[in-house]
Amino acid sequence: MLKKDKVNFTIQKLSELYPTIPVPLDHKDPYTLLIAVLLSAQSTDVRVNQITPLLFEKADNPYAMVRLSVEEIRDIIRPVGLSPMKSKGIHGLSQILIDKYNGEVPKDIALLEELPAVGHKTASVVVSQAFGIPAFPVDTHIHRLMYRWGFSNGKNVVQTEKDAKRLFPQALWNDLHLQIIWYGREYSPARGWNLEKDIITKTIGRKTVLNDYYKNKKDR
């Protein structure tokens, strides 16, 4: 199967599995999405969705957020991990949004990346999910599957993002990055992986990945 055929097969299968695509993090606007994505670093969406209602009850906009102290924010978000860094980032970026952007979240990835505690992936998620601007945020699921499928070399997420943008039509980026995330969680996890349920990898997967899977299974 040619790579073009593999890409088309992947797009088709993901569309069949996820015709309606849920957004993993609960939010109501660009600001609450930005905060939720920031909190999700090295945490789980489930944990973040448990904590954000508590935070947003007190402050769901930058003006209310800066009225909280960094310590108050930290106490609320502690369960998601990295609370010292994240609380400073949330307070700091909220003040910058007020000072530079009239309390609004900018739509430009470069401007978002200038905000405290906001990296490229977070900025890409915000422009994609909040504003509908084509982007391809790469998380651990996408990085893993792009390698398993033979679409990227797996060296780093920067290269994986470049490869994804090169292979997939831009009009599909915003849907595909979410579809791949859900697929990775449900059918192709890092642990407890069952290739028989992972139809995409089983059909188009990198030969070394498939060989390693069957070898490890045989050795158990």
Side-chain angles (χ1 to χ4, degrees), residues 98-160:
I98 294 170
D99 294 341
K100 293 184 66 174
Y101 304 107
N102 297 316
E104 300 293 326
V105 176
K107 298 180 180 181
D108 186 275
I109 286 181
L111 296 179
L112 285 166
E113 289 177 345
E114 294 176 357
L115 298 173
V118 177
H120 180 70
K121 177 198 160 190
T122 296
S124 297
V125 171
V126 171
V127 299
S128 170
Q129 297 180 16
F131 301 118
I133 297 170
F136 212 105
V138 173
D139 75 344
T140 55
H141 299 289
I142 294 174
H143 187 55
R144 178 176 68 254
L145 292 186
M146 287 287 290
Y147 177 78
R148 283 183 176 175
W149 295 342
F151 292 163
S152 190
N153 59 26
K155 289 183 178 179
N156 56 65
V157 295
V158 174
Q159 185 60 50
T160 297

Side-chain angles (χ1 to χ4, degrees), residues 82-97:
L82 303 179
S83 60
M85 180 272 290
K86 292 177 181 179
S87 58
K88 290 178 182 177
I90 290 170
H91 195 278
L93 73 81
S94 297
Q95 188 63 60
I96 292 173
L97 292 180

